[in-house]
Amino acid sequence: MSFSGFIVQLLNGLAGASSLFLVAAGLSLIFGVTRIVNFAHGSFFMVGIYLAYTLVEKLGTGLGFWPALALAAVGVGVLGALIEVVLLRRIYKAPELFQLLATFALVLVIKDAVLWLWGPDELLGPRAPGLSGSVMILGRQFPSYDLFLIVVGPVVLALVWLLLTRTRFGTLIRAATQDREMVSALGINQAWLFTAVFGLGALLAGLGGALQLPREPATLEMDLNTIGSAFVVVVVGGMGSIPGAYAAALLIAEIKAICIWLGVVEIFGYSVSFSKLTLVVDFLVMATVLVWRPWGLFGKPQAPSRYVGMQEEPLRRAGKPYLIAAAVFGLVLVAMPLLTAGSPYTTVLMIDLLIAALFAASLHFIMGPAGMHSFGHAAYFGLGAYGAALLVRASGMPMELALVLAPLVAAIGAFVYGWFAVRLSGVYLAMLTLAFAQITWAITYQWDAFTGGSNGLTGVWPAEWLSDKRIYYWLTLALVGASVLWLRRVLFSPFGYALRAGRDSVLRADAIGIDVKRMQWAAFVIAGTAAGLAGALYAFSKGSISPESMSVGKSVDGLVMVLLGGIQTLAGPVVGAVTFTWLHDTVARNTDYWRAMLGGIILLLVLLFPQGIAGSAKLLFERVRGVKP
């Protein structure tokens, strides 16, 4: 831990901050104007580095290198503008969460498009001409190209600041960030303003990717790895704040650099590996900042959009036709193992569908009736799964008792995380749940002695009387059915009505004596308990569990299920979970480019059914019956 090493690590942090800022600045601009939480922004970064690789090969590694990087950024900007015109412009008046679903589908499509064009192998670009060497700093060599990147960040920040404060276009962007509907009312062509901003944001992300060409190989994992860090920077800095994004990028990059410099340190006789904290330090920073300053370092509460989709109706108790259909469907589910006796895989798939339905229903419980968006719901699924596995393996507890106690482990996690989360709202609440989920994932991933680390835990099988998959299927069906009915019953209780009252109007609910935050906190615990049961059932059905069960991808899958089915109906999460899981399984087994096909199907469903599958079916049924919505 020498002083020279400390300085070099700080410089590495500055170079990394510049790269991260370019992506975050574009994401912040897009959100500030369009209110879209753009999951596909990391894909633009990935396309930027791949496109730069191809253009450098075409134009040469000499004088053509720098124009190739610039052209790659422009190409990504054009791609972003085309996506906005062709797709996103059609769904601006849809609920914001459905816009998020559309951008997630784009991630799948773009990833497979890159796979088809460039292949699965890593691609390492050439060194930058003129900056391929290094300089001596305090007796240590430091790459010249990294010094160049350190300068790029402040230069881009200054150019974007001048654009926003010294041009008419910048004035329109700032006005739209404050109230985009008023900008339209004043005669500004809102559609083309959105297109220009989306293209500019994509260009910045593409530039960030292109500039990474001499530093790291282009891989297919860059999209999700980058978008997670970019979200953290934007939220810590304050949504819509460009200076805030740069300050947050500096803060996070330098803390990571210091952790690497510290390495392993002895504290009171215990060895603490600070270098391992780099997996989660950005989420630790985000959680700390949001708890201390809910709107980020430079942010402020966003003005609510007037385009919130269709007004949501009060929940209605199931009518007689619905009850008859549900009873028939339940009988079919009970008989399913007997009807498919010649196909054992169908029983396994049905278990997966039931577990997915419970996981989605638990997430819908806090997203729909409670109005709280969660990007980290997989934390409770994973806590339930690991709780069941550890109770069986570490204590020798019977599987039946572990299945009962495991959801309580998830409930404790939801109790702790929910206490902090309910103090925020909107995107900030969602990102805090993501931070907690990533912290939980990092602990699980690195605690080899207790959780098995990256290898997970194996040999977690159900009791002997459940070794027959059909018996386990019937147990899963009984527990999932009872849990879904319990969640539904809670929503029609006084607690459920109070929960929806707090969602629809916090001020009115508070005025009549409802403690909204306490209700939301309790909702977190209920949803976490149900998700924990789904995780425990999953662990015993597979016989093993790994950290992937609480990864960002698992949380995103839950979001997709809820939104695909429809957030405004109680049947929506079940329909969405069954549809998504079945599509994922069917498409993945029939094509190498299953992501693109799955993403295309999701995009088609978003455009055709903006209220989700179950929500649109409900509207159609009411029109046929002549019921006024």
Side-chain angles (χ1 to χ4, degrees):
M1 293 192 296
S2 63
F3 178 73
S4 60
F6 177 69
I7 296 300
V8 169
Q9 283 299 334
L10 289 182
L11 291 175
N12 278 325
L14 288 175
S18 291
S19 302
L20 191 54
F21 164 69
L22 291 176
V23 186
L27 183 62
S28 188
L29 279 174
I30 290 173
F31 177 83
V33 174
T34 68
R35 297 294 190 274
I36 287 181
V37 181
N38 182 23
F39 259 113
H41 205 68
S43 300
F44 295 146
F45 176 90
M46 179 179 68
V47 172
I49 189 170
Y50 273 99
L51 193 56
Y53 179 87
T54 298
L55 290 174
V56 167
E57 279 193 333
K58 298 293 183 182
L59 300 180
T61 58
L63 294 177
F65 179 86
W66 299 107
L69 300 191
L71 288 173
V74 172
V76 175
V78 172
L79 174 64
L82 288 174
I83 288 174
E84 194 279 338
V85 171
V86 174
L87 174 64
L88 298 180
R89 186 175 291 185
R90 303 173 185 273
I91 58 174
Y92 275 131
K93 294 186 180 181
E96 292 177 358
L97 285 173
F98 281 92
Q99 299 168 2
L100 181 148
L101 179 59
T103 61
F104 169 74
L106 281 174
V107 172
L108 300 178
V109 173
I110 293 174
K111 183 185 284 288
D112 268 4
V114 171
L115 174 62
W116 180 66
L117 289 171
W118 283 282
D121 298 330
E122 295 183 352
L123 303 178
L124 182 61
R127 294 182 178 274
L131 297 173
S132 58
S134 61
V135 296
M136 294 297 294
I137 298 178
L138 298 178
R140 292 176 178 263
Q141 291 186 339
F142 188 78
S144 302
Y145 188 76
D146 282 9
L147 288 176
F148 166 73
L149 286 181
I150 292 174
V151 176
V152 167
V155 169
V156 173
L157 173 63
L159 292 175
V160 174
W161 182 82
L162 290 173
L163 174 69
L164 295 177
T165 59
R166 295 290 188 268
T167 65
R168 182 175 182 273
F169 178 61
T171 301
L172 293 177
I173 292 177
R174 288 186 288 117
T177 301
Q178 296 298 319
D179 193 332
R180 63 180 186 177
E181 287 80 26
M182 185 59 70
V183 170
S184 179
L186 293 175
I188 305 301
N189 190 325
Q190 189 184 62
W192 289 112
L193 176 64
F194 285 8
T195 302
V197 170
F198 204 91
L200 176 60
L203 184 148
L204 289 173
L207 178 61
L211 289 173
Q212 289 302 299
L213 185 63
R215 297 187 79 211
E216 59 179 311
T219 69
L220 293 170
E221 304 305 318
M222 281 183 151
D223 50 358
L224 291 182
N225 292 338
T226 303
I227 192 60
S229 300
F231 272 141
V232 170
V233 168
V234 171
V235 170
V236 171
M239 300 293 279
S241 172
I242 302 301
Y246 186 70
L250 280 178
L251 175 65
I252 292 171
E254 293 299 359
I255 291 177
K256 281 188 174 183
I258 292 173
C259 287
I260 294 173
W261 174 69
L262 288 172
V264 179
V265 178
E266 292 286 336
I267 300 178
F268 301 113
Y270 293 95
S271 296
V272 179
S273 176
F274 282 91
S275 56
K276 289 185 177 181
L277 284 177
T278 54
L279 285 175
V280 73
V281 69
D282 42 359
F283 292 97
L284 284 171
V285 171
M286 181 170 70
T288 303
V289 169
L290 289 182
V291 170
W292 165 62
R293 188 178 174 84
W295 308 110
L297 297 175
F298 290 75
K300 55 185 177 180
Q302 295 288 335
S305 172
R306 295 184 178 88
Y307 292 145
V308 293
M310 292 182 60
Q311 185 177 1
E312 186 168 342
E313 303 173 35
L315 293 177
R316 299 174 183 173
R317 293 189 180 275
K320 188 175 181 180
Y322 183 91
L323 291 175
I324 293 174
V328 172
F329 182 65
L331 291 175
V332 172
L333 288 178
V334 171
M336 186 63 70
L338 303 177
L339 298 175
T340 59
S343 176
Y345 177 73
T346 302
T347 303
V348 175
L349 177 60
M350 289 300 299
I351 293 173
D352 290 343
L353 293 176
L354 290 172
I355 293 172
L358 179 55
F359 178 58
S362 68
L363 176 57
H364 174 267
F365 185 84
I366 56 175
M367 286 186 63
M372 296 181 291
H373 304 158
S374 174
F375 287 0
H377 202 63
Y380 316 122
F381 183 91
L383 286 172
Y386 270 94
L390 289 169
L391 286 172
V392 169
R393 284 172 55 95
S395 65
M397 182 179 294
M399 171 263 178
E400 296 86 348
L401 183 57
L403 191 59
V404 173
L405 295 180
L408 300 181
V409 176
I412 293 171
F415 181 85
V416 175
Y417 295 163
W419 188 86
F420 295 99
V422 298
R423 282 154 176 76
L424 306 179
S425 61
V427 174
Y428 294 96
L429 183 151
M431 295 307 296
L432 184 59
T433 61
L434 174 62
F436 286 140
Q438 283 298 98
I439 292 169
T440 308
W441 170 85
I443 293 172
T444 305
Y445 187 82
Q446 298 183 54
W447 199 352
D448 295 327
F450 188 61
T451 65
S454 59
N455 294 322
L457 299 172
T458 58
V460 189
W461 295 110
E464 186 176 351
W465 67 278
L466 292 169
S467 58
D468 187 335
K469 279 296 182 183
R470 294 178 299 173
I471 305 298
Y472 191 83
Y473 166 81
W474 282 317
L475 173 67
T476 303
L477 176 61
L479 292 177
V480 169
S483 300
V484 171
L485 290 175
W486 172 60
L487 291 175
R488 182 184 179 92
R489 186 173 181 83
V490 170
L491 291 178
F492 284 105
S493 69
F495 172 81
Y497 289 117
L499 197 62
R500 297 200 300 276
R503 175 202 64 189
D504 295 336
S505 177
V506 175
L507 294 178
R508 291 181 181 179
D510 185 66
I512 62 175
I514 297 175
D515 190 337
V516 175
K517 297 302 181 186
R518 188 176 65 179
M519 293 290 177
Q520 292 177 335
W521 189 16
F524 255 94
V525 177
I526 293 172
T529 303
L533 176 58
L537 289 170
Y538 178 83
F540 289 122
S541 72
K542 302 301 181 185
S544 62
I545 192 65
S546 71
E548 294 302 311
S549 64
M550 59 179 68
S551 64
V552 174
K554 184 67 177 180
S555 294
V556 172
D557 286 348
L559 278 171
V560 173
M561 294 173 191
V562 172
L563 299 177
L564 198 57
I567 199 171
Q568 296 180 352
T569 61
L570 295 183
V574 176
V575 174
V578 171
T579 303
F580 177 78
T581 307
W582 178 78
L583 280 175
H584 190 289
D585 178 80
T586 303
V587 173
R589 285 190 290 113
N590 289 282
T591 176
D592 292 334
Y593 298 101
W594 61 270
R595 296 182 191 85
M597 184 173 292
L598 180 61
I601 293 172
I602 293 174
L603 285 174
L604 186 63
L605 292 175
V606 168
L607 294 174
L608 294 179
F609 307 111
Q611 299 299 318
I613 297 173
S616 298
K618 177 186 175 185
L619 291 176
L620 179 61
F621 181 71
E622 290 178 346
R623 288 176 184 173
V624 171
R625 295 184 60 194
V627 178
K628 292 184 179 180

